[in-house]
Amino acid sequence: MSDLLQLKKELPKITDKELWLMANKVYIDPDGKAFRKRGEVVCTADALLSFSRIYSKYGFTTRMIKEYETYRKHPIFYFPRERNGVNMTRATVFGDRIDCTLLDLKYYYTREKQCKLRLALKK
């Protein structure tokens, strides 16, 4: 990411949108790569903020890079391995709100009927 920010300094005519398109070409989402095992449950990584959400708030700036390194570079949360993707279901059901997701996980593990991610969490 810092390399792209340096490119912005060296090529003053390059736009944030062009940098964003380049970043998306080379960006590797750490969520799909990291996992932890809790007992017999395999959990995959998830971050607090999405890469695109950080960019939309800060544009291609040093602040964006700092926020990326804080919230995306290393996984923060690990959820049980998902069927059809808990991240996609979370975004659809809750608009990508982690607080609602955590509450829904509580419902899942306490077997309450209002769990909205139930199908995504079942193996």
Side-chain angles (χ1 to χ4, degrees), residues 14-81:
I14 197 165
T15 66
D16 269 14
K17 185 175 180 177
E18 291 168 324
L19 284 171
W20 172 248
L21 291 172
M22 283 190 264
N24 262 340
K25 294 273 187 206
V26 298
Y27 178 69
I28 298 171
D29 188 349
D31 292 355
K33 308 290 183 260
F35 70 93
R36 290 186 178 166
K37 197 168 183 182
R38 303 284 189 216
E40 295 299 312
V41 178
V42 175
C43 299
T44 56
D46 193 16
L48 187 60
L49 297 172
S50 69
F51 184 50
S52 61
R53 189 167 285 188
I54 295 168
Y55 167 75
S56 68
K57 182 168 184 180
Y58 299 108
F60 247 93
T61 62
T62 53
R63 180 67 191 263
M64 182 223 147
I65 303 300
K66 184 176 187 292
E67 293 293 307
Y68 165 81
E69 289 176 347
T70 301
Y71 295 107
R72 292 297 304 171
K73 195 171 186 177
H74 303 287
I76 296 173
F77 295 105
Y78 289 82
F79 293 109
R81 181 174 282 159

